[in-house]
Amino acid sequence: MNKIILRGRKVVGGCSEGEALVTRDTISGWGGINPQNGKIIELRHELYNQSFKDKVLVFPGAKGSSGWSAFFHAARLAGAAPKAMIYNITTSKSALGAVVTHAPTVTDLEQDPLDIIETGDWVKVDADNGIVEITKRQGNQRSSSSEDIKEQVSH
Amino acid sequence: MRLTEHEQAMLDGKEGPAKQKAMDLLVRYGEALGAERLVDTNNVSSSVSASSPVMREFAAKHGGGFDAIFSEFNLDSAETVKIPKIETHACQLIQAVDPDHWQTQGISRERYELNKESEEYSGSIGIQLLSTCTPYQVGNVPVKGEICAWMESSAVVYINSVLGARTNCEGKESTGAAMLTGKIPYWGYHIDENRLGTDLVEVEIEMETMEDWGLLGYYIGEMIGDRVPVINGIKGTPDHNMLKHFGAAASSSGGIEMYHMPGITADASTVEEAFGNNKPKTVIKYGKAERQQAYELLNHSAKDKEVDFIMLGCPHASLEQLWDICKLLDGRKINGNTDVWIFTPRALRQVADRSGYTKIIQDAGAKLMSDTCPAIGQILPEGTKVVATDSAKQAHYLPAIMGIQTWFGSLEDCINAAITGKWREY
């Protein structure tokens, strides 16, 4: 199967891979996640009751309390952190949160990762080189090759 | 990132291991932001409390007491370093325990003792124990243009917008590093162009009550996310309590850290000045329908009309708000099945004691508390299933954090529920 490659900017170095967990909702740290198990606890959230533990978390950005970094920090200490993160909007919350989670993280991708990556896809984040490698899960049809993406973008 | 000679010396460990770890974190954080340099700050609001048993366990495992906790949780350093007296002025934000009401709040003696030791540690390195989410109500009032490193989203949006101070929404680790070094990444709302408006909100209804301001903030946060709204059409001048509620709501439903109300807030006196060269990304109107939408979003978790618990004072109540509560409670008794907890900064609680406010509150059967809140302390009266509050922020977080139904309404709605035990049935 074809792999899709996206390039972006390193936030936190390292290289890691795993299954993607994708949301278009911004995430709260304090009051938004349970750091013991990595579950989203905000009731109106698209990922309510799903855990990012050992997943590649793909999300637009952070919102809410300044406890964002402390809660992702706590998730790391509890062994419930994501394996890697990809986000679109850099804020002090998301940047500091990624730093203290120690998970390879990239942002500012050349195309919107939320249009390309779907939950269940296999994603490798090589943050040192700013490269995201996506293998679509069978049945995830949004984009199965880079040609499709180019087509999508040009429309 | 470009570092000055002094910053490089700290990073190289020439001023000791604590500053070395602090600079290491600031450089990693600055690079993650894409910042080019650091900037000096002498005003830090942080959270250095170590009152949870998880932290004590952590410290015990690492053999270093509170230095181990500060190293990990405030500097992101697995290695325990000795923490010296801090370089900057810094204050403690809201924490998990009220040292005077811990038993009522269901806090264990172990946690109370741990909190006490933690406070002694924080005081000994130079942290002012204001213990409130609103340092700006009790003496820490930054001036226009002052570079700050503050946590607490409701305080960040207040000092950026109302006072014109300059801070990003920092975290435990970056504020820990800032208080040791006097440095923070120069980024975001420190910089003129990032403070300009991005979206226009046309307010078409009268804004009169605290409830009105909470709902407007909640709606704007939901719609604008983390951009910089310019709010036009406000008649008259809101007081600081209204702006406190407005900002706290906007930074809960969204991530608003800066807004303009031209002629009212610090940075701009006209809509044109607020936008500078920016064109509004969106123009949204706020009328009756939008107000109703915000009201429904805030009340989405609530079904049962029987109310167990009334929470007032999020963000921590001012003296004016306490007096407004006193006027509604004076000579009345709250329902036997309902608890009323009111939260204020500990400094203001002293004034409330001396002014006789505390007695009025107690005589009605309510309690005046400080230092914490139900969402931060994860504390509730035993058996609470349904809470009512006049705070959009608390109504946003309590269903998620404590798993309870939450009604949002006016102060009068809340006091009536306290007296009758029922929500809005009067």
Side-chain angles (χ1 to χ4, degrees):
Chain A
M1 188 177 281
N2 284 342
K3 285 181 168 34
I4 303 167
I5 304 287
L6 296 175
R7 279 165 216 283
R9 176 175 79 80
K10 173 186 93 168
V11 176
V12 176
C15 181
S16 186
E17 56 189 292
E19 210 178 283
L21 181 67
V22 184
T23 178
R24 284 190 178 271
D25 287 350
T26 49
I27 294 177
S28 281
W30 178 82
I33 69 165
N34 178 346
Q36 296 305 314
N37 56 24
K39 280 187 180 174
I40 304 285
I41 60 167
E42 188 181 350
L43 287 125
R44 292 198 282 121
H45 201 280
E46 183 186 7
L47 295 183
Y48 175 68
N49 213 26
Q50 293 187 58
S51 173
F52 52 63
K53 182 183 174 179
D54 296 333
K55 299 281 170 67
V56 175
L57 183 60
V58 187
F59 62 112
K63 69 167 176 178
S65 160
S66 58
W68 214 93
S69 64
F71 268 60
F72 276 78
H73 192 153
R76 167 171 65 79
L77 294 172
K83 275 202 161 161
M85 295 200 273
I86 301 170
Y87 60 74
N88 283 338
I89 299 163
T90 298
T91 57
S92 48
K93 290 168 208 156
S94 59
L96 183 61
V99 164
V100 302
T101 304
H102 300 184
T105 302
V106 292
T107 188
D108 298 338
L109 298 189
E110 56 203 346
Q111 288 155 15
D112 186 350
L114 299 173
D115 287 341
I116 294 161
I117 308 174
E118 290 166 274
T119 292
D121 291 348
W122 192 260
V123 177
K124 181 174 164 191
V125 178
D126 176 0
D128 291 325
N129 295 303
I131 293 173
V132 174
E133 194 181 283
I134 302 144
T135 310
K136 298 302 290 183
R137 180 175 70 176
Q138 273 196 336
N140 274 359
Q141 290 303 325
R142 201 174 287 163
S143 310
S144 56
S145 74
S146 47
E147 275 72 26
D148 287 349
I149 297 162
K150 278 179 204 139
E151 211 173 76
Q152 228 176 34
V153 168
S154 67
H155 284 315
Chain B
M1 279 218 299
R2 284 180 284 118
L3 298 182
T4 64
E5 237 171 76
H6 179 219
E7 290 161 359
Q8 187 64 48
M10 287 194 277
L11 183 61
D12 292 342
K14 289 179 183 149
E15 298 195 8
K19 287 187 185 179
Q20 193 268 320
K21 292 296 181 191
M23 280 302 296
D24 177 69
L25 184 269
L26 290 173
V27 168
R28 284 188 284 135
Y29 170 42
E31 283 174 351
L33 288 168
E36 288 173 4
R37 65 179 176 92
L38 301 173
V39 64
D40 292 343
T41 180
N42 191 26
N43 189 337
V44 179
S45 283
S46 182
S47 175
V48 181
S49 61
S51 58
S52 80
V54 175
M55 283 181 170
R56 169 178 266 188
E57 215 173 277
F58 177 89
K61 221 186 285 173
H62 294 76
F66 290 104
D67 279 347
I69 293 172
F70 194 109
S71 300
E72 177 65 55
F73 294 96
N74 291 102
L75 293 176
D76 188 30
S77 164
E79 181 194 329
T80 298
V81 290
K82 171 87 190 101
I83 306 301
K85 286 203 171 26
I86 58 174
E87 286 289 327
T88 68
H89 295 143
C91 65
Q92 168 65 39
L93 289 160
I94 192 166
Q95 53 187 43
V97 177
D98 175 346
D100 295 326
H101 291 96
W102 57 279
Q103 284 158 312
T104 310
Q105 292 170 349
I107 304 260
S108 67
R109 177 165 288 278
E110 183 201 9
R111 207 162 168 207
Y112 161 74
E113 296 285 352
L114 190 57
N115 186 66
K116 205 170 139 203
E117 290 166 31
S118 167
E119 286 207 326
E120 281 163 14
Y121 172 83
S122 292
S124 76
I125 60 172
I127 296 170
Q128 307 153 6
L129 294 165
L130 296 182
S131 302
T132 176
C133 47
T134 60
Y136 54 88
Q137 295 194 121
V138 286
N140 190 343
V141 188
V143 297
K144 187 172 176 180
E146 184 173 353
I147 300 275
C148 299
W150 278 36
M151 291 179 68
E152 176 50 52
S153 57
S154 70
V156 163
V157 67
Y158 189 93
I159 68 165
N160 266 337
S161 312
V162 181
L163 304 180
R166 300 193 168 206
T167 186
N168 295 302
C169 193
E170 297 297 344
K172 263 179 95 104
E173 303 84 357
S174 58
T175 50
M179 68 176 76
L180 287 174
T181 59
K183 305 284 179 181
I184 198 75
Y186 181 67
W187 189 81
Y189 296 113
H190 296 144
I191 300 164
D192 287 346
E193 65 199 54
N194 297 329
R195 298 172 65 85
L196 293 170
T198 59
D199 298 76
L200 182 63
V201 181
E202 291 285 2
V203 177
E204 296 176 351
I205 50 177
E206 299 276 328
M207 299 295 297
E208 287 167 353
T209 63
M210 294 284 281
E211 185 185 17
D212 289 337
W213 284 96
L215 289 169
L216 176 64
Y218 202 70
Y219 186 78
I220 289 177
E222 187 81 21
M223 299 299 289
I224 311 283
D226 57 4
R227 300 197 298 272
V228 183
V230 178
I231 296 119
N232 192 35
I234 302 297
K235 298 189 184 77
T237 306
D239 69 15
H240 68 104
N241 297 307
M242 293 166 176
L243 294 178
K244 178 179 70 177
H245 263 221
F246 168 81
S251 60
S252 300
S253 56
I256 307 276
E257 295 173 19
M258 170 88 199
Y259 65 85
H260 300 272
M261 272 175 215
I264 296 168
T265 54
D267 273 36
S269 38
T270 63
V271 170
E272 292 68 34
E273 198 189 342
F275 279 105
N277 289 326
N278 285 355
K279 292 263 178 305
K281 283 196 174 78
T282 60
V283 178
I284 63 172
K285 79 163 191 116
Y286 182 81
K288 268 189 182 161
E290 289 76 19
R291 186 188 190 281
Q292 184 60 27
Q293 198 182 325
Y295 183 84
E296 281 162 17
L297 282 173
L298 274 167
N299 281 295
H300 80 110
S301 73
K303 289 188 302 286
D304 299 333
K305 294 274 186 177
E306 308 277 333
V307 175
D308 310 303
F309 174 46
I310 314 293
M311 187 280 168
L312 303 171
C314 166
H316 278 171
S318 66
L319 290 169
E320 301 91 77
Q321 289 175 285
L322 292 182
W323 180 239
D324 287 342
I325 294 168
C326 284
K327 282 189 288 185
L328 291 169
L329 283 179
D330 197 10
R332 299 168 90 181
K333 285 273 179 210
I334 63 167
N335 187 286
N337 299 321
T338 310
D339 286 285
V340 179
W341 291 358
I342 304 159
F343 294 84
T344 192
R346 64 166 74 170
L348 297 186
R349 199 173 77 192
Q350 286 214 341
V351 182
D353 288 350
R354 293 186 62 178
S355 307
Y357 299 179
T358 311
K359 185 168 186 307
I360 295 173
I361 289 166
Q362 282 170 349
D363 287 349
K367 293 194 170 68
L368 184 60
M369 300 177 168
S370 66
D371 294 67
T372 187
C373 78
I376 286 279
Q378 307 207 355
I379 45 169
L380 291 172
E382 215 182 320
T384 297
K385 290 193 187 71
V386 183
V387 60
T389 179
D390 67 342
S391 161
K393 176 172 181 165
Q394 200 79 192
H396 175 83
Y397 283 117
L398 279 180
I401 293 176
M402 301 304 284
I404 51 174
Q405 297 182 41
T406 308
W407 291 104
F408 166 81
S410 68
L411 176 62
E412 290 75 13
D413 289 336
C414 291
I415 298 293
N416 280 317
I419 306 289
T420 63
K422 292 202 170 22
W423 184 247
R424 282 197 153 177
E425 282 186 7
Y426 48 86

